[in-house]
Amino acid sequence: MIGEPFIMVCCSDFAGQVRGKGFPAAELERRRKLGVGLAPTAMMINCFGRITDSPWGPRGDLVLMPDDDPRAAIHVDFEDGTPPESFILGDILTLDGKAWQCCPRSYLRAANKELEKEGIHILAAFEHEFYYDGVPDRLGSSYSVDAIRLARHFPNVLIAALRQGGLEPESFLPEYGPRQYEVTVRPALGLQAADRAVQLRELTRGAARRLGARAIFSPMVTRGVVGNGVHIHFSLVDLEGRSVSYDPSHKYGISSVAGSFLAGILRNADALCAITAPSVISYERLRPNSWSASQTNLGFRDREACIRICPVNEKPAADIASEYNFEFRAADAAASPHLQLGVLINAGVQGVRERLPIPEPTTRDLTQMSENEKMRMGIRPLPQSLSEALDLLESNSRARDLLPQELLEAYIMQKRGEIRQLEGQSDEEVCRRYADAY
Ligand code: GLU
Ligand code: MG
């Protein structure tokens, strides 16, 4: 069969879907100057492929411009006779070449710039869990060698694809749930960390598809069965790349700048869920006893904290500093990684600018703490539904300030449409639809 190399330029949109337009690879140089045309309303396509509402209707024109940075481009040949995965991430610009207010990737770029004004960069890695439907569900296979064996070539193919894509794969493991796996890559700075998350999701889907299966990132595949989380690990570094997160004199090692950054996130964390955990079923996962997150706490080595202080082995302080990191757990893969990281950075920067005090970490089971104690520590429950999260975002002026107004309004409009679209459907049907979509 004949076949010519083909490239897509794309972006991770409000729905956390990677969408864009394609052209023959021979056109790339021209497309680097021209980009590809896009209607603003394309951003309003929800995760189920529907436009329920749009602030722009059929009006307006934008340009999706492929990023020249080679790290934004994926070209992975699976060498199995299928065409390679070839896509380049890009920014959405207005026709006069400015960043479009609703472009998630441009939003993250702007957040990084604000952080840089404080003399800081963020180093981050998105840890992903997903279901792989190419394996039988064997009782007792959690974390087992047999779960890897059952997946046959999948782990090997996936790791090779991530390596070829330049993502620096770090781990692949069987997880607790039936057919559930987890994959991680090395941390990277700001924009590249979120780009890697987008690329990782697509390469994982690409590897699974080539083996006749699907990788499903939906936060809750089966109600009542453990969910798929995205845990966003991060640390702060100075402009030379030295960690500024760690202070050996603090009981838990938190530096004052990192503490302010964490406090900025935590005081808005309930409202931020509308961005970081943005599907109707995301809230089935954010419940107590799910090993996810259910309150706005900072937890010391606690896998149910909203932000966890991750463990580091005992070693000299200089070595600890380079490994010391925090993990934001109230996130999932229904969101755009660019929006997720951008909103966390903007919230953290607010905290740094206001010099908020270091939050007091929790060390005990939250269900054992009294309401008074939690109130004293500023710990509130996370929202119980997407609708509640959107209300919190809309009514909290400090949280609203973290997003450009046009983006915020369009985003909320899309999410409310998504909720309406699911009205009247059974819980099982809703889970099934999200599993199809992600
Ligand atoms: N599956 C859990 C979640 O939804 C995370 C389990 C773990 O700590 O790896 O976040
Ligand atoms: Mg895990």
Side-chain angles (χ1 to χ4, degrees):
M1 234 183 296
I2 58 169
E4 192 177 309
F6 166 85
I7 298 178
M8 273 193 78
V9 52
C10 40
C11 69
S12 161
D13 62 14
F14 284 178
Q17 299 284 357
V18 184
R19 297 190 167 109
K21 290 188 177 174
F23 46 82
E27 291 286 307
L28 180 57
E29 283 325 303
R30 208 166 70 90
R31 289 293 171 189
R32 284 203 186 283
K33 294 187 193 90
L34 295 177
V36 298
L38 208 65
T41 289
M43 189 54 79
M44 300 306 285
I45 305 174
N46 72 18
C47 63
F48 306 121
R50 275 267 302 276
I51 302 167
T52 56
D53 308 277
S54 167
W56 308 288
R59 294 170 305 280
D61 277 294
L62 297 161
V63 180
L64 175 56
M65 193 62 86
D67 190 335
D68 286 336
D69 185 330
R71 294 171 301 184
I74 288 292
H75 185 82
V76 173
D77 191 344
F78 285 77
E79 295 177 7
D80 61 347
T82 62
E85 291 279 327
S86 250
F87 59 90
I88 305 180
L89 298 178
D91 293 355
I92 307 176
L93 309 178
T94 58
L95 293 189
D96 54 2
K98 296 206 181 73
W100 183 42
Q101 273 231 333
C102 297
C103 166
R105 199 162 181 264
S106 308
Y107 169 66
L108 174 56
R109 279 186 197 278
N112 284 329
K113 279 209 183 100
E114 291 306 310
L115 186 61
E116 204 172 292
K117 286 185 195 157
E118 305 305 312
I120 302 170
H121 285 154
I122 195 163
L123 194 62
F126 291 63
E127 180 182 315
H128 281 87
E129 293 171 337
F130 62 93
Y131 276 61
Y132 179 62
D133 74 359
V135 293
D137 172 16
R138 178 177 80 68
L139 268 184
S141 64
S142 311
Y143 302 107
S144 75
V145 174
D146 202 39
I148 294 293
R149 196 178 290 129
L150 285 170
R152 294 174 52 85
H153 302 295
F154 177 66
N156 312 70
V157 173
L158 174 57
I159 290 169
L162 296 173
R163 175 98 49 217
Q164 221 187 86
L167 268 68
E168 301 183 284
E170 194 175 57
S171 67
F172 179 90
L173 53 125
E175 253 289 351
Y176 180 67
R179 303 189 174 100
Q180 193 183 30
Y181 295 87
E182 175 178 310
V183 60
T184 66
V185 296
R186 297 282 305 154
L189 288 176
L191 183 68
Q192 206 201 344
D195 282 358
R196 279 187 171 184
V198 176
Q199 294 164 336
L200 175 143
R201 293 176 196 175
E202 290 313 304
L203 288 177
T204 308
R205 291 183 173 114
R209 288 276 194 210
R210 281 171 176 80
L211 295 166
R214 279 195 66 213
I216 301 170
F217 287 89
S218 168
M220 187 53 65
V221 177
T222 311
R223 265 188 114 217
V225 178
V226 65
N228 288 320
V230 169
H231 303 158
I232 307 175
H233 289 260
F234 62 93
S235 62
L236 304 178
V237 295
D238 67 16
L239 303 186
E240 272 76 52
R242 289 178 299 245
S243 170
V244 293
S245 298
Y246 183 65
D247 178 352
S249 70
H250 180 267
K251 183 167 179 208
Y252 299 97
I254 309 171
S255 70
S256 74
V257 69
S260 299
F261 191 89
L262 297 174
I265 295 175
L266 288 172
R267 71 173 174 182
N268 292 310
D270 45 3
L272 299 190
C273 286
I275 305 285
T276 62
S279 75
V280 167
I281 49 166
S282 297
Y283 296 84
E284 301 273 332
R285 180 183 153 255
L286 299 180
R287 301 237 161 115
N289 307 319
S290 308
W291 289 54
S292 53
S294 63
Q295 315 252 340
T296 63
N297 67 317
L298 172 66
F300 179 66
R301 301 184 185 172
D302 175 357
R303 284 188 170 76
E304 241 176 65
C306 181
I307 299 182
R308 175 169 83 119
I309 307 171
C310 295
V312 274
N313 300 331
E314 298 298 327
K315 40 175 96 150
D319 293 345
I320 293 182
S322 65
E323 277 179 32
Y324 187 72
N325 73 91
F326 309 99
E327 181 191 46
F328 182 84
R329 296 174 69 88
D332 63 53
S336 156
H338 295 105
L339 291 181
Q340 285 173 319
L341 192 58
V343 87
L344 292 180
I345 292 174
N346 280 345
V349 166
Q350 248 185 13
V352 170
R353 292 192 175 146
E354 291 177 38
R355 298 193 192 291
L356 297 182
I358 303 177
E360 188 184 333
T362 53
T363 52
R364 287 190 294 130
D365 185 346
L366 294 183
T367 57
Q368 307 294 313
M369 285 169 66
S370 71
E371 291 311 312
N372 272 345
E373 200 176 351
K374 285 193 263 189
M375 210 189 313
R376 183 187 62 73
M377 294 174 77
I379 298 173
R380 300 175 313 283
L382 294 181
Q384 308 276 305
S385 67
L386 177 58
S387 173
E388 189 190 336
L390 292 167
D391 289 346
L392 287 168
L393 179 61
E394 233 173 357
S395 62
N396 173 341
S397 64
R398 216 191 269 128
R400 270 204 322 266
D401 283 350
L402 304 173
L403 296 143
Q405 197 182 339
E406 197 180 1
L407 188 159
L408 180 83
E409 284 170 9
Y411 180 87
I412 290 178
M413 185 186 273
Q414 172 178 125
K415 288 290 156 186
R416 294 220 194 275
E418 181 177 328
I419 296 170
R420 271 201 320 275
Q421 204 187 327
L422 293 172
E423 267 164 21
Q425 299 192 14
S426 70
D427 294 336
E428 285 64 34
E429 178 65 7
V430 171
C431 273
R432 204 183 55 70
R433 298 201 66 171
Y434 277 109
D436 279 350
Y438 292 103

